[in-house]
Amino acid sequence: MQLDPASGWCQGVNLCPSPNFNARPTGEISLLVIHNISLPPAQFATGKVQEFFQNRLDVTEHPYFEGIADLRVSAHFLIERDGAVTQFVSCLERAWHAGVSSFEGREVCNDFSVGIELEGTDDLPFTDAQYQALTTLTRQLQNTFTGITAQRICGHSDIAPGRKTDPGLAFDWARYRAALEKEEQQ
Protein backbone atom coordinates (compact mmCIF):
# COMPACT_ATOMS: atom_id res chain seq x y z
CA MET A 1 0.00 0.00 0.00
CA GLN A 2 1.20 3.49 -0.81
CA LEU A 3 -0.39 6.72 0.39
CA ASP A 4 -0.48 9.48 -2.22
CA PRO A 5 0.08 12.76 -0.33
CA ALA A 6 -1.44 14.83 -3.15
CA SER A 7 -4.81 13.05 -3.10
CA GLY A 8 -4.89 11.48 0.37
CA TRP A 9 -5.89 8.14 -1.17
CA CYS A 10 -3.94 4.91 -0.75
CA GLN A 11 -2.97 2.83 -3.72
CA GLY A 12 -3.09 -0.94 -3.27
CA VAL A 13 -6.14 -0.98 -0.97
CA ASN A 14 -9.85 -1.41 -1.60
CA LEU A 15 -11.60 1.89 -2.33
CA CYS A 16 -15.18 2.30 -1.18
CA PRO A 17 -15.94 6.05 -1.22
CA SER A 18 -18.33 7.27 1.45
CA PRO A 19 -20.52 10.36 1.10
CA ASN A 20 -20.04 11.01 4.83
CA PHE A 21 -17.22 13.53 4.90
CA ASN A 22 -16.53 17.22 4.54
CA ALA A 23 -13.59 19.60 4.28
CA ARG A 24 -11.16 19.93 7.14
CA PRO A 25 -11.39 23.46 8.55
CA THR A 26 -7.60 23.89 8.79
CA GLY A 27 -6.14 21.10 6.67
CA GLU A 28 -4.13 19.95 9.69
CA ILE A 29 -3.67 16.19 10.18
CA SER A 30 -1.98 15.46 13.50
CA LEU A 31 -3.87 12.66 15.27
CA LEU A 32 -4.58 9.00 14.57
CA VAL A 33 -7.62 7.43 16.23
CA ILE A 34 -8.04 3.64 16.44
CA HIS A 35 -11.59 2.23 16.62
CA ASN A 36 -13.32 -1.11 16.30
CA ILE A 37 -16.53 -2.01 14.54
CA SER A 38 -18.47 -5.07 13.45
CA LEU A 39 -21.92 -5.27 11.92
CA PRO A 40 -23.91 -6.98 13.20
CA PRO A 41 -21.95 -6.85 16.47
CA ALA A 42 -19.31 -9.64 16.73
CA GLN A 43 -20.03 -10.83 13.18
CA PHE A 44 -17.23 -10.48 10.68
CA ALA A 45 -16.76 -10.35 6.90
CA THR A 46 -20.39 -9.40 6.35
CA GLY A 47 -19.77 -6.36 4.14
CA LYS A 48 -22.19 -4.44 6.35
CA VAL A 49 -19.60 -1.93 7.59
CA GLN A 50 -18.99 -0.89 3.99
CA GLU A 51 -22.74 -0.55 3.40
CA PHE A 52 -23.13 1.42 6.65
CA PHE A 53 -20.41 3.91 5.72
CA GLN A 54 -22.04 4.36 2.31
CA ASN A 55 -25.55 4.87 3.76
CA ARG A 56 -26.72 1.71 1.99
CA LEU A 57 -27.35 -0.54 5.01
CA ASP A 58 -30.68 -2.40 4.79
CA VAL A 59 -31.99 -1.82 8.29
CA THR A 60 -34.50 -4.68 7.95
CA GLU A 61 -31.72 -7.30 7.81
CA HIS A 62 -30.93 -7.29 11.53
CA PRO A 63 -32.60 -5.82 14.64
CA TYR A 64 -29.37 -3.99 15.62
CA PHE A 65 -29.42 -2.03 12.36
CA GLU A 66 -32.66 -0.26 13.31
CA GLY A 67 -30.84 1.57 16.11
CA ILE A 68 -28.17 2.93 13.77
CA ALA A 69 -30.39 3.61 10.77
CA ASP A 70 -30.22 7.39 11.05
CA LEU A 71 -26.48 7.65 11.72
CA ARG A 72 -24.26 9.16 9.04
CA VAL A 73 -20.71 8.12 9.87
CA SER A 74 -17.50 7.08 8.20
CA ALA A 75 -13.85 6.45 8.86
CA HIS A 76 -10.86 6.88 6.64
CA PHE A 77 -9.97 3.18 6.78
CA LEU A 78 -11.28 -0.25 7.79
CA ILE A 79 -8.92 -3.17 8.43
CA GLU A 80 -10.78 -6.47 8.23
CA ARG A 81 -9.90 -9.66 10.11
CA ASP A 82 -7.85 -10.98 7.17
CA GLY A 83 -5.83 -7.74 7.02
CA ALA A 84 -7.61 -6.35 3.95
CA VAL A 85 -7.66 -2.54 4.02
CA THR A 86 -10.54 -0.47 2.67
CA GLN A 87 -10.44 3.31 2.36
CA PHE A 88 -13.65 5.33 2.52
CA VAL A 89 -12.50 8.96 2.72
CA SER A 90 -9.38 10.75 1.50
CA CYS A 91 -7.04 11.53 4.38
CA LEU A 92 -7.16 15.14 3.23
CA GLU A 93 -10.90 15.27 4.01
CA ARG A 94 -12.70 15.11 7.34
CA ALA A 95 -14.28 11.68 8.00
CA TRP A 96 -17.04 11.45 10.57
CA HIS A 97 -15.61 8.91 13.04
CA ALA A 98 -14.82 10.59 16.37
CA GLY A 99 -18.06 12.37 17.25
CA VAL A 100 -18.00 14.50 20.38
CA SER A 101 -14.34 14.28 21.30
CA SER A 102 -11.33 16.02 22.80
CA PHE A 103 -7.56 15.42 22.63
CA GLU A 104 -5.22 17.40 24.89
CA GLY A 105 -7.96 19.97 25.47
CA ARG A 106 -8.74 20.42 21.79
CA GLU A 107 -12.28 19.46 20.79
CA VAL A 108 -13.78 18.13 17.54
CA CYS A 109 -11.04 15.61 16.78
CA ASN A 110 -12.50 14.87 13.34
CA ASP A 111 -11.06 18.22 12.27
CA PHE A 112 -7.45 17.06 12.62
CA SER A 113 -7.48 13.26 12.81
CA VAL A 114 -7.45 10.15 10.68
CA GLY A 115 -9.74 7.33 11.81
CA ILE A 116 -8.93 3.65 11.39
CA GLU A 117 -11.59 1.06 12.19
CA LEU A 118 -10.48 -2.47 13.04
CA GLU A 119 -13.07 -5.12 12.35
CA GLY A 120 -13.68 -6.51 15.81
CA THR A 121 -15.08 -5.95 19.26
CA ASP A 122 -13.78 -4.62 22.56
CA ASP A 123 -13.27 -8.10 23.98
CA LEU A 124 -12.19 -10.37 21.10
CA PRO A 125 -8.49 -10.46 20.18
CA PHE A 126 -7.53 -8.84 16.91
CA THR A 127 -5.68 -10.91 14.30
CA ASP A 128 -2.01 -10.97 13.35
CA ALA A 129 -3.01 -9.79 9.87
CA GLN A 130 -4.79 -6.78 11.37
CA TYR A 131 -1.78 -5.75 13.44
CA GLN A 132 0.48 -6.10 10.40
CA ALA A 133 -1.82 -4.02 8.19
CA LEU A 134 -2.33 -1.44 10.95
CA THR A 135 1.42 -1.06 11.44
CA THR A 136 2.04 -0.66 7.70
CA LEU A 137 -0.81 1.84 7.32
CA THR A 138 0.29 3.81 10.38
CA ARG A 139 3.83 4.14 9.00
CA GLN A 140 2.42 5.39 5.69
CA LEU A 141 0.36 7.97 7.56
CA GLN A 142 3.26 9.07 9.75
CA ASN A 143 5.57 9.41 6.76
CA THR A 144 3.04 11.66 5.03
CA PHE A 145 1.61 13.52 8.02
CA THR A 146 4.53 14.16 10.35
CA GLY A 147 2.27 15.60 13.03
CA ILE A 148 1.07 12.04 13.77
CA THR A 149 3.78 11.14 16.29
CA ALA A 150 3.73 8.11 18.57
CA GLN A 151 2.26 10.33 21.29
CA ARG A 152 -0.58 11.37 18.97
CA ILE A 153 -1.97 7.88 18.35
CA CYS A 154 -4.91 7.00 20.58
CA GLY A 155 -8.07 4.99 20.91
CA HIS A 156 -11.59 6.28 20.48
CA SER A 157 -12.01 5.70 24.22
CA ASP A 158 -9.17 8.15 24.90
CA ILE A 159 -10.85 11.04 23.09
CA ALA A 160 -14.43 10.21 24.12
CA PRO A 161 -14.08 8.70 27.62
CA GLY A 162 -17.31 7.53 29.16
CA ARG A 163 -18.98 7.61 25.75
CA LYS A 164 -16.81 5.16 23.80
CA THR A 165 -14.81 2.07 24.80
CA ASP A 166 -13.11 1.08 21.55
CA PRO A 167 -10.73 -0.25 20.48
CA GLY A 168 -11.28 -2.06 23.80
CA LEU A 169 -9.31 -4.13 26.25
CA ALA A 170 -8.54 -6.78 23.61
CA PHE A 171 -6.45 -4.32 21.58
CA ASP A 172 -2.77 -4.92 22.35
CA TRP A 173 -1.31 -1.43 22.52
CA ALA A 174 2.12 -2.74 23.60
CA ARG A 175 2.30 -5.04 20.57
CA TYR A 176 1.23 -2.28 18.20
CA ARG A 177 3.64 0.31 19.60
CA ALA A 178 6.53 -2.20 19.61
CA ALA A 179 5.83 -3.02 15.94
CA LEU A 180 5.87 0.69 15.08
CA GLU A 181 9.17 1.19 16.90
CA LYS A 182 10.68 -1.81 15.11
CA GLU A 183 9.60 -0.45 11.72
CA GLU A 184 10.98 2.96 12.56
CA GLN A 185 14.39 1.47 13.36
CA GLN A 186 14.59 -0.35 10.01
Side-chain angles (χ1 to χ4, degrees):
M1 97 183 56
Q2 182 68 41
L3 180 59
D4 175 19
S7 69
W9 289 96
C10 266
Q11 300 167 348
V13 304
N14 301 314
L15 300 180
C16 188
S18 171
N20 302 330
F21 71 93
N22 59 348
R24 292 185 186 275
T26 64
E28 174 193 350
I29 301 166
S30 62
L31 182 67
L32 176 58
V33 181
I34 310 295
H35 305 259
N36 78 49
I37 191 170
S38 55
L39 292 174
Q43 293 184 31
F44 307 129
T46 63
K48 300 305 175 192
V49 173
Q50 292 86 337
E51 291 176 13
F52 181 48
F53 287 172
Q54 290 189 309
N55 305 333
R56 297 186 304 112
L57 187 63
D58 181 350
V59 298
T60 65
E61 289 183 12
H62 191 277
Y64 180 81
F65 297 165
E66 293 174 15
I68 62 173
D70 295 329
L71 297 179
R72 296 294 176 254
V73 297
S74 62
H76 292 92
F77 299 95
L78 168 69
I79 301 176
E80 295 181 69
R81 305 295 286 180
D82 63 0
V85 178
T86 301
Q87 186 171 7
F88 298 93
V89 175
S90 163
C91 294
L92 303 180
E93 301 289 348
R94 182 182 183 268
W96 302 343
H97 60 95
V100 176
S101 54
S102 176
F103 182 79
E104 295 182 346
R106 185 171 173 195
E107 297 187 357
V108 192
C109 293
N110 283 339
D111 289 352
F112 56 98
S113 67
V114 170
I116 300 177
E117 296 275 4
L118 299 174
E119 185 178 42
T121 68
D122 286 6
D123 53 1
L124 291 175
F126 295 93
T127 67
D128 291 342
Q130 286 179 298
Y131 283 108
Q132 290 170 346
L134 178 60
T135 300
T136 300
L137 179 55
T138 301
R139 293 305 297 151
Q140 286 287 315
L141 292 166
Q142 288 181 310
N143 290 340
T144 303
F145 308 111
T146 57
I148 300 176
T149 62
Q151 298 76 27
R152 295 184 66 83
I153 299 173
C154 64
H156 198 187
S157 58
D158 297 313
I159 62 169
R163 189 175 70 82
K164 294 296 181 176
T165 58
D166 56 316
L169 296 175
F171 184 72
D172 191 341
W173 282 102
R175 175 183 179 173
Y176 171 53
R177 292 192 188 283
L180 286 176
E181 287 178 26
K182 183 178 178 184
E183 273 229 4
E184 191 174 330
Q185 293 169 357
Q186 292 178 352

